[in-house]
Amino acid sequence: MHRHSRLAHLALIVHRGDWSWDSGFISVTHTPPIRELLKDLFMFSTEPVWPIFFRDSDPICISWHWGLEHSCPALCGRGQSGSTDTTVMGVMKVKQPPAFVAILPSDMPPRGSLYPGLEPPSPRQTHFPSGISERKRSWLAVMVGVLLGARPSACGDLSGSRPNILLLMADDFGIGDIGCYGNNSIRTPNIDRLAEDGVMLTQHIAAASVCTPSRAAFLTGRYPLRSGMVSSNGYRVLQWTGVSGGLSTNEITFAKILKDRGYATGLIGKWHLGLNCESSSDHCHHPLNHGFDHFYGMPFSMMGDCIHWELSEKRAGMEHKLNVCFQIMAFAALTLTAGKLTHLTSGSWTPVVWSTVAATLLFVTSYSIGVLIVHADCFLMRNRTITEQPMHFQRTTSLLLKEVSSFVQRNKHRPFLLFVSFLHVHTPLITTEKFRGKSAHGLYGDNTEEMDWMVGQILDTLDMEGLTNSTLVYFTSDHGGSLEAQLGKEQYGGWNGIYKGGKGMGGWEGGIRVPGIFRWPGVLQAGRVIHEPTSLMDVFPTVVQLGGGEVPQDRVIDGRDLLPLLLGTAQHSAHEFLLHYCENLLHAARWRQRDGGRLWKVHYTTPLFHPEGAGACYGRGVCPCSGDQVAHHDPPLLFDLSRDPSEAHALTPDTEPSFYHVMDTVARAVEEHCRTLIPVPLQLDTLGNIWRPWLQPCCGQFPLCWCDREGDPR
């Protein structure tokens, strides 16, 4: 198909009767009548007629119509060159085949009265190959007239196909902190505008309640246990940049697939899925090895230790351990020295010397560990080059926004996938002066409002480049807000609304229920709200199929295509069950009961809150997944989320007649799920999650890691 012929609007019309239908998917078979019709291809063009061969790289769309009164959205797929069959997957289940179907090049929007903007062509513009009978010419002309006379569709039109895809992910963001999800005290006008102009999901679920496993699931569409991006010993996330654990290159991300389909792919912001395997420069886990053409951001994660904050992820604990070891070693050195001086001990002075050296090293390390952490983990990279080590945080926001704008401008003439992974609103809540002290909720509110402003700046970039209508925008968070992020009476973590629990809690809703907003003007109906269970893993098959790729068939993909739900052509989620892990342990499961409309949640294990009666594990970073600080429930706890979304009232056999039926149904689903699991090395366990100096990225001579290749972005 000639891809640059702007008048090549209609490629082929297929008559009803040459169709086979299977559960709402269209299969066009090249039967003899179709092969005969292929010879009769005609085009609206002043150029010569082109043969009907769709190359593998050519997207095609199917738009079907039942007559003058009804039309539905176009469906996009791929033509197969040299094949006897063309299969195009649809998004709508129908009871009756249409009268005819038009197959159109997806990058050449059809027009006419069906698509406003072009008058129907005059007869002299209609070309037929020689040898077509008058009867066939008449039939084809009638079909063209019907097509061009149809009314505009009220449904979303996918005939543009292959949209730009912009994915926005906040860090540690509570669902209760957004205006469109019910907050009226933190200002989030830009995120709210996305919801007003798009579709909002109210039961959007993360696959894990902490960063690393949740992000792995998001990129791969698979529970993190399948990729080994979990631990079994309490190391919930990657602990350092200089570790060997990370997302295996055997995993397939949506970026890999879309890159192969011709998309420009970029990641700006946080990664936190590993970097190196055997040396400080092999970059085996780097974003560029996972399908991204361009990376700019932190290979690790923002954390309190980046600015020596009181709320510390690892510095404070390490300082305490080093101080204890120093005291033991210093006491040993003093004891040995006293023994030698008083002649109570005999022998060499060597033990005294070595214990004194060890005590000195421990003392120096305990007081310098904070600085070492800042240089080891808090740095920026552009692709494989370190550009700023350590980071200058007051300019980080402008650097990231500048990079987003640059990526969009460079790639505005081709389809692109851009994943903007915000450093906001993870502690230490680094906020520029413009927003400090401006919100009603302290530093956390300031940081949230700055992130919302960043969302607005990114959306304005799309507007300025004329890309708004051709870009699917998605906003979410990697998991719920952190309740334990407290200092005294000051709360530095997010609020999860009416939902129980928060970050780090594998089963409670507050840790895994996250915002989910999609906007695609002209395709997705503005202002729709969907109350069906969906998952961050669903983004994988959704963007893969929108980008013209194929979901891998050689592995289990747990995500489901969201497009039917977003378009309104499906009423219910494709998920009947969703499972909720804490590390490698199953803590809970939910069941969307199709026949009764109820949403059940079963808890097998829950954390013990501290102090008793509190709603979190205060005094520690996050709640544990196992050990003596969790409760195992037999029988499991049962909640009806459709009536009790706060999980406040556990049901019993006495209060719920369906209790045993629900338990049995969920247990069978769990067993079936477990049969699909294949053991893989756990990347976050001790072996892959301890710091190794030879894996530490450094832009100078280790350990003197310092550079600034950014300068002032202003």
Side-chain angles (χ1 to χ4, degrees), residues 14 51 92 101 112 114 117 152 171 188 193 255 261 275 362 401 405 427 471 517 527 548 570 578 629 654 671:
V14 182
M92 179 177 289
V101 168
L114 175 60
D171 196 3
T188 56
R193 176 161 56 102
R261 302 311 301 178
L275 196 62
L362 288 168
L401 287 176
S405 178
T427 53
T471 303
I517 302 171
L578 281 172
Q629 296 300 307
D654 295 331
E671 289 176 6

Side-chain angles (χ1 to χ4, degrees), residues 152-166:
S153 171
C155 306
D157 181 9
L158 299 184
S159 59
S161 91
R162 286 170 58 84
N164 304 314
I165 298 167
L166 173 62

Side-chain angles (χ1 to χ4, degrees), residues 36-64:
E36 178 71 17
L37 199 59
L38 293 180
K39 300 176 183 178
D40 300 342
L41 171 69
F42 68 99
M43 308 288 282
F44 291 155
S45 175
T46 55
E47 302 173 15
V49 173
W50 303 96
I52 182 163
F53 282 109
F54 292 96
R55 298 186 300 271
D56 288 342
S57 59
D58 286 341
I60 61 175
C61 285
I62 287 189
S63 187
W64 70 78

Side-chain angles (χ1 to χ4, degrees), residues 511-546:
I512 54 179
R513 194 178 289 221
V514 294
I517 302 171
F518 286 86
R519 188 193 75 175
W520 189 0
V523 176
L524 302 182
Q525 180 182 335
R528 282 191 67 225
V529 179
I530 296 175
H531 304 288
E532 289 286 316
T534 57
S535 170
L536 261 68
M537 297 183 292
D538 298 339
V539 172
F540 177 92
T542 304
V543 301
V544 162
Q545 294 185 123
L546 277 175

